[in-house]
Amino acid sequence: MDENFLLQTETAQRLYHEHAAKMPIIDYHCHLNPQMVANDYQFKSLTEIWLGGDHYKWRAMRTNGVDERFCTGKNTTDWEKFEKWAETVPYTFRNPLYHWTHLELKTAFGIDKILNPKTAREIYDECNEKLKLPEYSARGMMRRYHVEVVCTTDDPIDSLEYHIKTRESGFEIKMLPTWRPDKAMAVEVPTEFIAYVEKLASVSGVAINNFDDMIEALRKRHDFFAEQGCKLSDHGIEEFYAEDYTDTEIKAIFNKVYGGATLTREEILKFKSAMLIIFGEMDWETGWTQQFHYGAIRNNNTKMFKLLGPDTGFDSIGEFTTAKAMSKFLDKLNSSGKLTKTILYNLNPCANEVIATMLGNFQDGSIPGKIQFGSGWWFLDQKNGMEKQMNALSVLGLLSRFVGMLTDSRSFLSYPRHEYFRRTLCNLVGQDIENGEIPASEMERVNQMIEDISYNNAKKFFNF
């Protein structure tokens, strides 16, 4: 992994080193722990910062025959867990984990060695010594990678106390909340939904006795998030919901849940459809950008879900026919003049062209790239997935207006994913120039496009 890693032409190398590499990072969607930023957390070991909560690595380790206690167990030492990861790394050739692992070692710790069982102890000890230094704290890591803004993912009932604490501390990097109201529409599990609504009532100060009360409480929280600098919402959905419904029906469904009755599938879909529209209208009113991450089948392994809970490495790509519902949902908001800036992320690459063509249906000339095709997400945030996403967007839309990469990560060591993306972008465009598909006489415009996709577009789009 030398300085020209992934950069296969001289043009690609110039684009990256002279234009992409120098741009700061705007990480507009991540799952960092705000408390760690607020308290400038000092990590105890390389295992904690690198393997704690990283289900990508856990999946690879399990596949390599590593026992679960070395992934998520509590009765094993940090070294034992790291040793098992080091044993797994040589088996990850052609998996992005191999590249990410060594990019992170190099950019965070200055280590050029290949991680394997022979080098594991030396690398582990060297990194642990550096992690004791102040510049390797949570905030130090963000400074190291020239991060300008991060947007965390937060529930409407969250107090946002750590965002407030971070801002009031004078920390120069912005940490903003993102509104993630998935639980407010999850009526398919009535007991959990009722418990959530009770918490919503408590934090909002609104007594919730009916559907209108719940919406009032959500609006109060939405306003509170806006006051704390929130500029984006995010929705993690299996598929888009766009059933026809009436206000009377939705109010009756809410009452039915509270009455202890079991909802039909039709009622569940109608309620979710109504909530997505209401959330979209709220975001339009405040000028936020709404994000939709769809297409995952979560918690497939029920045995491990019972043992470990969600987000532990047992999710996969789903197959959903969503084009008509997506179109109907966007059209309903657009018809009422309330379609805000939108980013669509698919998990199944078979939908690349679906989304790339859907964008053009609802661009209205008011904002460049108002409807965005989100960067390769989750299983697709690797070289092949990124290239497919950018190729579809290029052919069927405007790559130049793309708002670029994000980490979507819980780790403070994931920022090299921006570098990985930028190198992939520069290699793709550089190859086109070398092939004569983009004229070399237009290099000034190309240089600007690379800087825009890396940073400028996001800064303008989100009004940071």
Side-chain angles (χ1 to χ4, degrees):
M1 279 191 176
D2 63 13
E3 64 177 8
N4 291 325
F5 171 61
L6 296 182
L7 305 172
Q8 298 171 343
T9 65
E10 289 185 8
T11 304
Q13 293 163 16
R14 286 198 302 272
L15 288 174
Y16 178 73
H17 294 301
E18 296 176 16
H19 300 282
K22 69 180 182 180
M23 307 308 288
I25 286 176
I26 290 179
D27 199 27
Y28 58 89
H29 176 72
C30 72
H31 297 273
L32 291 182
N33 183 337
Q35 185 175 1
M36 286 184 169
V37 179
N39 295 336
D40 199 13
Y41 187 81
Q42 203 80 36
F43 297 93
K44 299 177 180 64
S45 72
L46 182 57
T47 301
E48 182 185 27
I49 191 173
W50 221 14
L51 293 173
D54 191 339
H55 51 80
Y56 288 83
K57 292 188 179 74
W58 295 344
R59 284 172 70 98
M61 291 166 73
R62 291 168 186 142
T63 304
N64 202 44
V66 174
D67 189 270
E68 188 64 32
R69 65 194 180 98
F70 296 106
C71 301
T72 59
K74 297 181 180 179
N75 295 320
T76 48
T77 66
D78 281 3
W79 161 246
E80 288 173 322
K81 290 179 178 178
F82 182 80
E83 185 178 31
K84 291 298 181 183
W85 169 240
E87 290 175 7
T88 300
V89 169
Y91 292 89
T92 63
F93 290 151
R94 303 203 81 239
N95 186 300
L97 283 168
Y98 192 82
H99 290 159
W100 293 344
T101 293
H102 293 99
L103 271 179
E104 290 167 16
L105 284 174
K106 183 173 184 176
T107 59
F109 300 101
I111 293 174
D112 285 314
K113 298 181 182 71
I114 298 295
L115 177 60
N116 56 43
K118 293 180 180 179
T119 61
R121 188 80 231 188
E122 178 186 359
I123 288 174
Y124 185 73
D125 290 343
E126 182 176 344
C127 291
N128 283 348
E129 284 302 308
K130 289 183 176 179
L131 284 170
K132 296 175 183 178
L133 303 173
E135 58 264 36
Y136 283 87
S137 66
R139 294 188 182 188
M141 285 295 182
M142 297 167 78
R143 292 186 179 106
R144 173 177 295 274
Y145 288 107
H146 307 292
V147 177
E148 190 172 286
V149 181
V150 296
C151 296
T152 58
T153 305
D154 311 279
D155 192 279
I157 65 174
D158 195 292
S159 68
L160 304 185
E161 60 185 293
Y162 298 113
H163 295 81
I164 296 169
K165 180 179 178 180
T166 299
R167 184 181 69 242
E168 293 180 346
S169 72
F171 184 40
E172 69 276 13
I173 298 171
K174 289 183 181 178
M175 181 175 70
L176 305 177
T178 296
W179 170 268
R180 178 76 173 252
D182 295 354
K183 293 180 180 178
M185 54 189 278
V187 287
E188 62 270 26
V189 185
T191 53
E192 293 181 10
F193 177 76
I194 292 170
Y196 179 79
V197 171
E198 289 174 355
K199 293 176 183 176
L200 175 63
S202 176
V203 299
S204 66
V206 176
I208 300 178
N209 298 307
N210 54 48
F211 181 73
D212 288 340
D213 291 341
M214 186 183 78
I215 299 305
E216 181 187 348
L218 286 168
R219 284 190 176 279
K220 287 192 69 172
R221 299 304 298 168
H222 200 272
D223 291 342
F224 172 68
F225 269 57
E227 290 168 4
Q228 304 311 319
C230 182
K231 293 180 182 292
L232 298 99
S233 69
D234 182 50
H235 305 268
I237 52 179
E238 277 197 350
E239 54 188 317
F240 277 83
Y241 309 107
E243 301 296 314
D244 293 324
Y245 61 86
T246 66
D247 291 344
T248 300
E249 284 180 311
I250 301 306
K251 292 174 182 178
I253 291 169
F254 181 89
N255 292 337
K256 188 174 179 180
V257 173
Y258 265 77
T262 301
L263 298 181
T264 66
R265 173 169 170 75
E266 182 183 15
E267 288 171 327
I268 292 171
L269 293 179
K270 285 189 174 188
F271 192 86
K272 289 179 179 294
S273 300
M275 293 305 297
L276 278 187
I277 290 294
I278 290 169
F279 289 138
E281 291 172 343
M282 288 185 189
D283 292 349
W284 173 79
E285 290 166 4
T286 49
W288 291 1
T289 298
Q290 58 181 353
Q291 301 174 93
F292 296 94
H293 288 83
Y294 81 94
I297 302 178
R298 299 176 187 269
N299 309 315
N300 294 272
N301 189 326
T302 53
K303 175 184 175 182
M304 297 307 292
F305 177 69
K306 290 175 183 176
L307 286 172
L308 303 175
D311 304 320
T312 49
F314 300 97
D315 307 322
S316 61
I317 293 172
E319 291 180 313
F320 302 96
T321 304
T322 62
K324 285 189 175 180
M326 182 193 302
S327 174
K328 187 175 178 180
F329 166 72
L330 294 171
D331 187 57
K332 187 167 184 177
L333 287 171
N334 189 63
S335 296
S336 64
K338 296 182 179 180
L339 178 58
T340 192
K341 293 178 289 186
T342 302
I343 307 178
L344 305 170
Y345 305 84
N346 59 299
L347 194 57
N348 194 323
C350 74
N352 282 348
E353 283 75 16
V354 171
I355 290 185
T357 56
M358 189 66 69
L359 308 179
N361 297 333
F362 299 101
Q363 308 287 16
D364 60 12
S366 62
I367 300 166
K370 177 179 176 181
I371 315 299
Q372 288 275 330
F373 184 179
S375 61
W377 166 50
W378 200 343
F379 296 109
L380 306 182
D381 65 351
Q382 28 72 16
K383 182 175 180 287
N384 185 51
M386 292 174 186
E387 288 179 343
K388 286 182 176 179
Q389 183 268 349
M390 286 190 280
N391 281 330
L393 177 57
S394 300
V395 171
L396 301 168
L398 294 180
L399 179 67
S400 301
R401 292 301 187 179
F402 180 30
V403 293
M405 189 54 176
L406 47 99
T407 63
D408 190 29
S409 175
R410 293 168 175 77
S411 173
F412 287 84
L413 280 181
S414 290
Y415 294 114
R417 292 187 193 178
H418 283 264
E419 176 179 336
Y420 190 75
F421 166 82
R422 292 175 183 183
R423 287 176 178 269
T424 301
L425 167 67
C426 291
N427 189 61
L428 205 62
V429 175
Q431 190 64 59
D432 284 349
I433 294 168
E434 297 275 341
N435 291 344
E437 296 176 50
I438 296 175
S441 60
E442 290 293 309
M443 283 307 298
E444 184 177 351
R445 173 71 202 105
V446 173
N447 296 340
Q448 185 63 58
M449 180 179 78
I450 295 298
E451 294 183 9
D452 288 346
I453 296 171
S454 298
Y455 170 78
N456 295 325
N457 286 348
K459 188 174 182 68
K460 294 175 184 176
F461 192 78
F462 302 114
N463 300 317
F464 287 144

